[in-house]
């Protein structure tokens, strides 16, 4: 099993320094999107990918700045596992996923069902299911299909909808929720 993680000694030292400053100074959220105002000065994402056996637990944003190496790790983690194709995952999608996870008040990592999809993978999935969009946001690195063992699809759906950050699809029979950074909309049952 491969583990992808950004929590190195250097990062921890940096995190400790930032944490110490947040005790002294009140946080400001003027640059944060509305759904992230409660996310805090540190953003962390935790996921597992059963198809690859990988896990990810990384802090990707500290005090208004994205951590480039952590974002690269997230994009690699969310790659098309069928083709090994990697595309930069849209930061807005990562933020929506993080905000919804925080609202659910869980420490359990997301189970990543699908992140980036290559055109070949998307075409193959479309040939097998009418539920796969021809111009899916997965093709642009702007979507994720996610599951949590400790929360229902309805709970995840409501948390993602509360973000008002993009599209949210509820796939109860398949036990996952789609989150993307496109126009705010919803579908599914």
């Amino acid at each position: 099993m491969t583990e992808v993680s950004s929590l190195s000694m250097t990062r921890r030292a940096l995190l400790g320094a930032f944490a110490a400053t947040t005790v002294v100074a009140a946080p400001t959220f003027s640059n944060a999107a509305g759904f992230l105002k409660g996310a805090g000065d540190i953003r962390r994402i935790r996921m597992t990918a059963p198809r690859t056996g990988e896990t990810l637990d990384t802090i990707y944003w500290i005090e208004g700045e994205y951590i480039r190496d952590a974002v690269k790790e997230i994009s690699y983690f969310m790659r098309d596992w069928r083709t090994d194709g990697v595309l930069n995952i849209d930061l807005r999608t990562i933020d929506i996923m993080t905000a919804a996870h925080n609202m659910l008040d869980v420490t359990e990592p997301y189970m990543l069902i699908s992140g980036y999809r290559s055109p070949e993978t998307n075409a193959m999935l479309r040939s097998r299911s009418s539920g796969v969009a021809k111009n899916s946001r997965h093709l642009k690195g702007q979507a994720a299909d996610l599951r949590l063992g400790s929360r229902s699809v309805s709970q995840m759906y409501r948390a993602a909808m509360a973000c008002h950050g993009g599209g949210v699809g509820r796939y109860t029979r398949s036990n996952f929720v789609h989150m993307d950074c496109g126009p705010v909309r919803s579908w599914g049952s």
Side-chain angles (χ1 to χ4, degrees):
M1 180 184 285
T2 304
E3 184 168 329
V4 180
S5 179
S6 291
L7 298 178
S8 65
M9 290 301 284
T10 305
R11 173 95 18 90
R12 287 184 185 175
L14 179 64
L15 179 58
F18 280 115
T21 61
T22 59
V23 172
V24 177
T28 61
F29 303 107
S30 59
N31 295 332
F35 64 86
L36 287 167
K37 287 186 179 180
D41 292 332
I42 297 168
R43 295 183 194 160
R44 176 182 183 186
I45 189 84
R46 285 166 277 186
M47 293 185 279
T48 63
R51 302 215 192 261
T52 64
E54 297 170 337
T55 62
L56 176 91
D57 185 357
T58 190
I59 293 168
Y60 69 92
W61 189 89
I62 299 176
E63 300 234 338
E65 298 290 328
Y66 289 96
I67 301 167
R68 186 185 330 206
D69 288 343
V71 171
K72 281 184 179 179
E73 283 181 90
I74 294 167
S75 293
Y76 178 77
F77 183 86
M78 293 180 69
R79 71 194 179 277
D80 182 335
W81 61 271
R82 290 174 178 91
T83 66
D84 236 15
V86 178
L87 186 71
N88 291 332
I89 301 299
D90 194 301
L91 298 172
R92 297 170 298 171
T93 298
I94 300 167
D95 286 340
I96 292 165
M97 293 164 51
T98 299
H101 196 264
N102 288 344
M103 285 183 211
L104 290 163
D105 193 29
V106 295
T107 57
E108 171 192 0
Y110 279 128
M111 180 185 299
L112 179 68
I113 307 301
S114 183
Y116 165 66
R117 284 188 206 143
S118 67
E120 298 81 14
T121 294
N122 202 66
M124 180 270 297
L125 292 172
R126 273 182 55 76
S127 72
R128 295 180 181 179
S129 171
S130 62
V132 177
K134 181 178 183 178
N135 295 313
S136 170
R137 294 217 175 253
H138 288 277
L139 292 163
K140 301 172 187 174
Q142 295 180 338
D145 296 337
L146 305 162
R147 178 182 297 153
L148 284 170
S150 65
R151 296 295 186 264
S152 69
V153 168
S154 292
Q155 289 170 316
M156 289 179 62
Y157 173 83
R158 285 193 302 272
M161 286 298 296
C163 293
H164 301 287
V168 182
R170 180 174 25 196
Y171 294 88
T172 305
R173 277 183 252 148
S174 299
N175 191 27
F176 73 85
V177 172
H178 169 98
M179 298 179 199
D180 71 48
C181 64
V184 176
R185 66 213 188 285
S186 64
W187 64 92
S189 58

